[in-house]
Amino acid sequence: MNLSPHFTLEELTSSEIAERNGWDNTPNDQELENLKRLAEFLEEVKTALGGKPVIINSAFRNKQTNDGVGSRDSSQHRLGCAADIRVPGMAPDAVVKAIMAAGLAYDQLIKEFATPTGGGWTHISITNDHKGKPRGQVLIIDRQGTRPY
C-alpha cells in the first residue's frame, strides 16, 4: 500500500527482527496516520536530496519490536513518527547538512553511528502530534554518546 508516491506501508513497517521472530509489526489507526505524515515528509526529504533514493532502515516499531532492538519506549519510532534512512552515495553527515540547508520542518535530525568508512545512518522525525511545532533538534549519536550537532 502506497502512503506517498515513493514510500509504502510495507517499507515503513518492515523489521528484520520482527520478521525473524514472527512478530506482527502492524500499526494501529493513529500510528498509520502518523506513518502517512512521515511518508509525505520523506517525500520532502527526497526532493531536498536531489531525488536520490531514500532507503528506510527502520521506521515504525511496535512495543515488542522496539524492545527487541533495545530502544526506549519514548522512541518516536513507536508512534510511526521517525525513520532511520540511508542515501546511496551520501554519508550521513552530508544527508544531515542537506536537510538542514533545505529548511525542512523536522522534529529531530540525528547523525547516528557514522564512521569515516561510510557506516551509520540518519534518523529523522516529525512531530508526534500533527499540530505540534517541530523542535528542529539536530544531534550526533555515536560511541561517545549523544551531543548537539
Side-chain angles (χ1 to χ4, degrees), residues 49-72:
L49 299 175
K52 292 183 191 281
V54 174
I55 310 300
I56 309 297
N57 289 349
S58 178
F60 174 72
R61 299 190 298 242
N62 67 13
K63 178 159 178 49
Q64 184 177 36
T65 303
N66 199 59
D67 289 350
V69 299
S71 189
R72 298 179 185 165

Side-chain angles (χ1 to χ4, degrees), residues 24-94:
D24 181 9
N25 194 44
T26 303
N28 66 29
D29 290 344
Q30 181 58 56
E31 293 158 347
L32 180 58
E33 287 306 310
N34 288 339
L35 284 169
K36 289 176 184 175
R37 288 190 307 119
L38 179 62
E40 288 301 328
F41 183 72
L42 290 170
E43 294 291 344
E44 294 179 41
V45 169
K46 183 176 178 62
T47 298
L49 299 175
K52 292 183 191 281
V54 174
I55 310 300
I56 309 297
N57 289 349
S58 178
F60 174 72
R61 299 190 298 242
N62 67 13
K63 178 159 178 49
Q64 184 177 36
T65 303
N66 199 59
D67 289 350
V69 299
S71 189
R72 298 179 185 165
D73 274 343
S74 60
S75 169
Q76 289 179 288
H77 288 277
R78 289 274 293 111
L79 304 172
C81 292
D84 295 334
I85 64 171
R86 288 179 298 106
V87 180
M90 289 183 79
D93 193 56

Side-chain angles (χ1 to χ4, degrees), residues 15-30:
S15 169
E16 184 180 313
I17 195 166
E19 291 166 16
R20 185 173 57 239
N21 289 292
W23 300 337
D24 181 9
N25 194 44
T26 303
N28 66 29
D29 290 344
Q30 181 58 56

